[in-house]
Amino acid sequence: MESVALPAARTGGTVNGTVALVWFKRDLRVRDHAPLAEAMHFESALGLVVIEPQWLDSPECDPRHVGFLLDCVTALQRDLAQRGLPLLVRTGAMPQVLQSLRREFRFTHLFSHEETGPGWSYQRDLAVADWCRHQGVNWTELPQTGVVRRLRSRTGWAGRWAQRMNAPEAPAASGFRAATGLEASAVPTLRELGLPTLGAPLPPGGERAAWATMDGFLNGRARDYRRAMSSPLTATEGCSRLSAHLAFGTISMRCLHQATEARIAATTDHSLAHALRGFSSRLRWHCHFMQKLEDEPAIEWRNVARTVDGLRPGDGVHDSSVDTERLQAWCEGRTGYPMVDACMRQLRATGWLNFRMRAMLVSFAAYHLWLHWREPGLFLARQFLDFEPGIHWSQMQMQSGTTGINTLRIYSPAKQARDQDPLGVYVRQWVPEFGTAAYPGPIVDERSAVAAAKERLYGLRKTRDAHAEADAIQHKHGSRKSGLPATAPKRRRAGAAPDGQGQLF
Ligand SMILES: Cc1cc2nc3c(=O)[nH]c(=O)nc-3n(C[C@H](O)[C@H](O)[C@H](O)COP(=O)(O)OP(=O)(O)OC[C@H]3O[C@@H](n4cnc5c(N)ncnc54)[C@H](O)[C@@H]3O)c2cc1C
């Protein structure tokens, strides 16, 4: 998206007649918020959150996302009011919302953060840019993560990430002069938006909750991070649980990175420092994966490796037939594989699951059930409260073997149960009927399903076309170790990886 030149007001002082509109999207906070800091220089300013029908109607959106957003917006509105900035909440499509707002007050500048989102949000941004051009409104988009727009090469990316994350926070914003005659609007309820109320409570949203979660992790829970992250029994407490806050922007990646590094520097506890270093590298992965969607928006619906097109039914390119029976059994947690079903049920009930178990669920859908990743991915997107398109679609493809460059990782549910739930406590908690006649038999025979999957995928990967394509994919998307050329990694045997994910597609 084109960034429009910054206004004269940015250079200091206020410019008469300039009115700034700060558009909050996935950045629902006041701290380290560059667009908000820019708006301080204007004669008057307003904040805006838009609940867009394109989002509500998108196949990735679930009422739990909307519920969490509303919670975050309520907190944001209060925090902004303390700083003199009313937050308007509108429901409708951009740019129609902008058009009607412009009739109410003549804003001259629009500020927002850059967004790396699904196709509909990109199309909406194009429409907003067009509207701004026609109306003579200056729209400035500012980065908030390590994602680089119009990136030419992945070489040097990690250095740019570090530079951004180590830069000072955006100045604290306060003392706004609100545009006259406009007041903060009521935050709608789920019901008012025509959505069902939620069956289970959500974790608290908002900036304060994000910082409390971070403090609790860095100052206590993190000590056990590396040991606790793999088992679903321990990961709920042992992981940071900051993913939904990062997805909705209630804490900035920069603040989290800097607080983590400060904690590492301050502690004399070597095991804590070791755990936090593992955590810290995952923050970089967050942006590393988002960068892929930024660079290649089609990865949300098309195989990264085009040489695997048509391999599984339902890839949407060659045919769109999906084995609905298998898909439904997987979605409902009744595959007859107790560890898979327990994980799915935990996810559906709580909106969160640890990395290893997410990967196992996808591996099971992709290899055992031979389902293309798109439909399972949409279902998981609705379940994950932390849905972040760039991470999500990259991981869906990685765990399904369609990136062309990663080791095939086929998780055995039985082995995961032995390793991560040896006493069967977790399975009993989520699948109480396991071991009774009410529990279904296995939906597929594991041995033959996995053998068939391996044969097809390894067969394809051996082709000359697949090798050539792998080098091109590695060059475009692969992580770089400084100084090393971007060549495709050696293909290794299949198997479940440690939680470090080894190579990063
Ligand atoms: C199929 C699949 C889909 C996924 N979809 C998402 C998603 O939509 N949103 C999302 O935030 N994460 C996603 N992940 C990555 C990971 O599972 C979650 O980030 C993590 O479980 C969130 O819990 P946490 O914040 O307690 O993680 P922690 O272990 O405490 O990690 C801290 C942060 O680091 C980042 N992070 C951790 N692991 C990864 C990873 N493998 N790749 C990229 N960033 C990572 C996240 O921002 C996370 O919040 C997915 C993983 C898989 C296998």
Side-chain angles (χ1 to χ4, degrees):
M1 186 53 40
E2 283 293 303
S3 283
V4 183
L6 281 170
R10 193 189 175 180
T11 55
T14 56
V15 175
N16 284 344
T18 57
V19 183
L21 183 63
V22 183
W23 177 21
F24 289 86
K25 294 185 281 180
R26 292 157 61 88
D27 50 356
L28 303 171
R29 62 177 184 274
V30 294
R31 185 157 172 186
D32 193 24
H33 198 290
L36 197 56
E38 291 294 342
M40 275 194 307
H41 302 294
F42 285 74
E43 192 174 294
S44 60
L46 266 178
L48 172 69
V49 165
V50 185
I51 300 169
E52 299 165 271
Q54 291 100 319
W55 179 50
L56 299 180
D57 295 342
S58 69
E60 302 92 341
C61 182
D62 185 84
R64 75 173 92 202
H65 296 130
V66 186
F68 192 73
L69 174 112
L70 297 178
D71 205 17
C72 296
V73 170
T74 304
L76 177 66
Q77 196 171 57
R78 185 193 53 222
D79 293 343
L80 287 174
Q82 285 167 1
R83 291 158 176 80
L85 193 83
L87 180 66
L88 307 179
V89 184
R90 293 283 193 266
T91 306
M94 298 283 268
Q96 283 89 323
V97 168
L98 292 176
Q99 184 67 43
S100 82
L101 266 182
R102 190 136 156 93
R103 280 195 287 271
E104 293 177 61
F105 80 108
R106 299 205 64 79
F107 55 93
T108 53
H109 293 80
L110 177 66
F111 287 99
S112 68
H113 274 126
E114 293 173 351
E115 185 178 355
T116 303
W120 71 263
S121 73
Y122 179 68
Q123 292 305 325
R124 172 259 271 146
D125 282 355
L126 292 179
V128 169
D130 199 44
W131 182 86
C132 287
R133 253 191 311 273
H134 280 95
Q135 298 290 323
V137 169
N138 281 310
W139 182 20
T140 304
E141 289 185 281
L142 299 160
Q144 67 163 336
T145 65
V147 173
V148 180
R149 287 241 164 130
R150 290 174 287 276
L151 183 70
R152 288 225 181 86
S153 160
R154 268 300 186 123
T155 303
W157 182 89
R160 290 170 84 165
W161 185 91
Q163 211 172 14
R164 269 194 199 170
M165 295 306 138
N166 292 319
E169 286 178 31
S174 62
F176 289 99
R177 288 165 298 278
T180 43
L182 283 167
E183 285 177 13
S185 32
V187 178
T189 60
L190 282 174
R191 208 157 148 220
E192 284 162 352
L193 292 172
L195 296 170
T197 45
L198 303 173
L202 293 171
E207 195 162 2
R208 245 165 250 151
W211 280 77
T213 307
M214 180 186 77
D215 287 343
F217 180 70
L218 295 183
N219 295 312
R221 291 186 291 117
R223 183 163 291 104
D224 225 17
Y225 180 60
R226 284 190 192 252
R227 197 194 55 77
M229 69 166 72
S230 297
S231 167
L233 285 167
T234 48
T236 310
E237 266 292 300
C239 287
S240 73
R241 308 301 308 274
L242 282 162
S243 50
H245 287 293
L246 287 169
F248 285 84
T250 47
I251 188 165
S252 76
M253 182 56 88
R254 179 173 19 232
C255 284
L256 178 55
H257 164 74
Q258 293 186 3
T260 305
E261 294 304 314
R263 188 76 186 97
I264 293 172
T267 187
T268 51
D269 177 341
H270 293 303
S271 57
L272 176 63
H274 181 61
L276 287 178
R277 273 193 281 273
F279 173 74
S280 177
S281 56
R282 281 167 178 77
L283 301 183
R284 198 174 61 250
W285 299 355
H286 177 106
C287 303
H288 166 80
F289 282 110
M290 286 175 72
Q291 183 73 52
K292 294 174 196 298
L293 184 66
E294 179 69 30
D295 294 345
E296 192 173 343
I299 68 169
E300 65 164 318
W301 55 270
R302 194 176 74 186
N303 292 326
V304 172
R306 305 309 306 279
T307 42
V308 300
D309 282 357
L311 185 68
R312 294 180 174 100
D315 70 1
V317 179
H318 292 80
D319 80 296
S320 49
S321 60
V322 177
D323 187 330
T324 45
E325 222 169 278
R326 285 186 175 191
L327 178 64
Q328 213 167 332
W330 178 80
C331 293
E332 290 172 5
R334 46 174 191 81
T335 64
Y337 284 82
M339 197 63 177
V340 171
D341 293 342
C343 287
M344 189 58 94
R345 294 182 196 189
Q346 181 201 338
L347 174 60
R348 290 178 64 133
T350 67
W352 187 84
L353 194 63
N354 61 324
F355 171 82
R356 177 175 285 263
M357 296 300 115
R358 291 185 196 204
M360 182 193 69
L361 280 184
V362 177
S363 154
F364 190 84
Y367 299 113
H368 294 65
L369 303 183
W370 201 240
L371 295 170
H372 187 264
W373 48 266
R374 174 73 185 163
E375 284 300 321
L378 288 174
F379 176 77
L380 290 181
R382 291 193 291 276
Q383 309 310 309
F384 294 151
L385 183 60
D386 57 30
F387 172 57
E388 178 59 66
I391 302 176
H392 187 69
W393 293 117
S394 303
Q395 283 289 351
M396 285 304 304
Q397 295 224 36
M398 243 175 103
Q399 306 303 338
S400 304
T402 59
T403 63
I405 60 173
N406 298 102
T407 310
L408 299 184
R409 288 177 193 139
I410 304 180
Y411 288 76
S412 152
K415 181 174 186 312
Q416 292 306 312
R418 275 197 307 280
D419 292 352
Q420 312 303 343
D421 182 31
L423 301 177
V425 175
Y426 178 70
V427 163
R428 273 198 301 281
Q429 181 186 351
W430 292 103
V431 192
E433 79 276 24
F434 176 58
T436 72
Y439 189 62
I443 186 170
V444 287
D445 173 62
E446 177 163 33
R447 191 185 287 253
S448 54
V450 168
K454 279 185 185 169
E455 196 184 317
R456 289 172 184 164
L457 268 157
Y458 281 127
L460 250 185
R461 282 198 170 195
K462 281 188 197 133
T463 63
R464 189 184 296 213
D465 284 354
H467 280 266
E469 189 183 37
D471 284 339
I473 292 168
Q474 178 65 24
H475 186 77
K476 177 162 183 165
H477 289 296
S479 61
R480 309 277 200 272
K481 292 204 173 92
S482 56
L484 293 182
T487 51
K490 264 201 175 140
R491 287 146 195 89
R492 279 189 267 132
R493 285 175 55 77
D499 292 279
Q501 284 111 331
Q503 25 162 322
L504 291 177
F505 144 65

